[in-house]
Amino acid sequence: MSDTWFEDRTYRHTDWTPERLLDLKRRRGLTVSLVIPARNEEATVGGIVSRVRAALVERTPLLDEIVVMDSDSTDATGRAAAEAGATVHRTVDVRPDLGHRRGKGEAMWKSQFVTSGDIIAFLDADLVEWDTHFVSALLGPLLTEPGVWLVKGFYDRLLDLPGGTRVSHEGGRVTELVARPTLALRWPALSGVVQPLSGEWAIRRDLFQQLSVPTGYGVELAVLIDTHLRCGVHAVAQVDLGRRAHRHQSLRGLGAMATELLAIADRRCGIEHGGDVPIRWFDASDGHGRPHTGTVSTVERPPAVGVGPERFRVLGGAVGR
């Protein structure tokens, strides 16, 4: 890791006020889209949209649009987001001529076809301890440093333990056990990125539309690595956002995520595992440790810039504003 990079490209959310960022945005003539990928997040997405809209659209108009990409939800995620003031698109209805894949990355990739901002910021839909600077602070390096193309948020992640206890500095298990070691070994220039898998990040559209995008959880790692390979490490910046809490996945779910991340990293080293990687896990709940099998998708969408015009009408359409 370059000490120069860490010193030059690490910021705190207190470095800018929303008013200062708005002035910078207007001076540069840029527009900003916020995208919130969501699947079955009825409990949290409405509150997130409401708070962001009040602070960063109505009070200080930093955002030109708030778009929720509803990724195959079976609850009222879309309705909750629309009632809170977001424009909602069901991922399956966006560019149906291109087919549909399940996953967070699919929603983010398809958001390029229904947003217009020069900068696209992403925010997770399951946050339970956060503030609106999780969005606004990501814009700081992009509005002040022309050489910055991607900004990653980082934070002290809280780990929920039985009994309602929260432990600081213990969240992000896949980050610490898979993502950071992988970067340290293969792309050491990125080893100073504190939260390479954070769901809070912002990117210039001109770059994002040139990148391949994994359809699942590998999207954050892939975009980070590809930005470094294409533009150099100084094109990446990071902002300390403080503390963050959200719901945590099961150990089996984390295993699938880890498998996807390793396959995505291998692909960028010339090692190909195919689109669907077989995995095995063991259920010891019955005392026998019986094996189960499944697959993890590592499919990637091509750069959006090379995707042709829509061949037939979008189904459904947007809901809300």
Side-chain angles (χ1 to χ4, degrees):
M1 180 192 75
S2 166
D3 291 335
T4 301
W5 177 84
F6 192 88
E7 294 299 324
D8 291 347
R9 291 295 191 243
T10 301
Y11 304 85
R12 293 187 55 82
H13 68 86
T14 52
D15 290 343
W16 310 276
T17 64
E19 292 75 20
R20 173 60 177 154
L21 292 171
L22 178 60
D23 179 63
L24 290 167
K25 174 194 164 188
R26 287 173 170 168
R27 286 171 180 263
R28 286 153 179 72
L30 297 173
T31 55
V32 181
S33 301
L34 174 64
V35 173
I36 305 174
R39 183 177 187 273
N40 292 337
E41 301 294 354
E42 175 186 359
T44 52
V45 70
I48 289 171
V49 170
S50 293
R51 286 178 64 184
V52 171
R53 184 172 184 81
L56 303 180
V57 175
E58 296 169 358
R59 188 178 310 131
T60 307
L62 264 177
L63 301 178
D64 296 279
E65 57 184 349
I66 301 174
V67 173
V68 169
M69 299 296 294
D70 187 357
S71 184
D72 304 305
S73 294
T74 57
D75 65 3
T77 290
R79 184 173 69 239
E83 289 175 351
T87 298
V88 180
H89 292 274
R90 292 200 315 154
T91 303
V92 68
D93 294 337
V94 177
R95 292 301 303 264
D97 57 313
L98 302 175
H100 175 60
R101 305 284 304 193
R102 291 185 180 275
K104 180 182 183 182
E106 173 83 349
M108 298 167 115
W109 182 74
K110 282 196 169 181
S111 73
Q112 296 177 89
F113 303 107
V114 292
T115 57
S116 59
D118 302 303
I119 295 170
I120 306 174
F122 294 100
L123 181 70
D124 279 347
D126 62 348
L127 301 177
V128 292
E129 184 170 326
W130 66 288
D131 207 341
T132 55
H133 68 260
F134 275 38
V135 178
S136 58
L138 297 174
L139 306 179
L142 293 166
L143 295 175
T144 56
E145 300 291 341
V148 169
W149 289 81
L150 170 68
V151 178
K152 298 287 294 183
F154 71 94
Y155 23 66
D156 177 11
R157 289 187 60 167
L158 304 179
L159 178 64
D160 293 323
L161 297 178
T165 303
R166 280 182 172 175
V167 179
S168 183
H169 305 296
E170 291 294 335
R173 290 165 287 174
V174 175
T175 294
E176 295 302 327
L177 296 176
V178 178
R180 287 174 54 75
T182 297
L183 293 177
L185 291 171
R186 296 181 174 178
W187 299 281
L190 294 172
S191 62
V193 178
V194 180
Q195 294 282 353
L197 305 184
S198 69
E200 285 64 58
W201 51 284
I203 190 169
R204 298 187 194 274
R205 178 183 293 271
D206 286 349
L207 173 60
F208 192 40
Q209 67 182 359
Q210 298 179 55
L211 303 182
S212 299
V213 178
T215 58
Y217 288 109
V219 54
E220 276 93 8
L221 186 64
V223 167
L224 175 63
I225 295 169
D226 290 347
T227 298
H228 165 48
L229 294 177
R230 179 181 290 262
C231 306
V233 68
H234 274 77
V236 179
Q238 60 183 355
V239 179
D240 184 351
L241 301 177
R243 288 160 58 99
R244 178 191 197 270
H246 69 156
R247 293 190 298 277
H248 295 276
Q249 294 197 41
S250 67
L251 189 60
R252 193 175 79 189
L254 295 178
M257 183 186 298
T259 301
E260 180 183 349
L261 294 176
L262 290 173
I264 292 299
D266 278 353
R267 181 173 290 148
R268 280 146 181 82
C269 293
I271 305 170
E272 184 58 62
H273 298 283
D276 293 314
V277 177
I279 60 170
R280 175 170 289 190
W281 68 92
F282 298 88
D283 182 2
S285 60
D286 61 359
H288 298 291
R290 299 184 186 279
H292 299 268
T293 60
T295 59
V296 172
S297 174
T298 64
V299 171
E300 299 196 29
R301 288 294 201 169
V305 71
V307 174
E310 188 173 17
R311 294 199 300 270
F312 51 83
R313 183 179 61 86
V314 174
L315 302 176
V319 178
R321 298 175 186 268

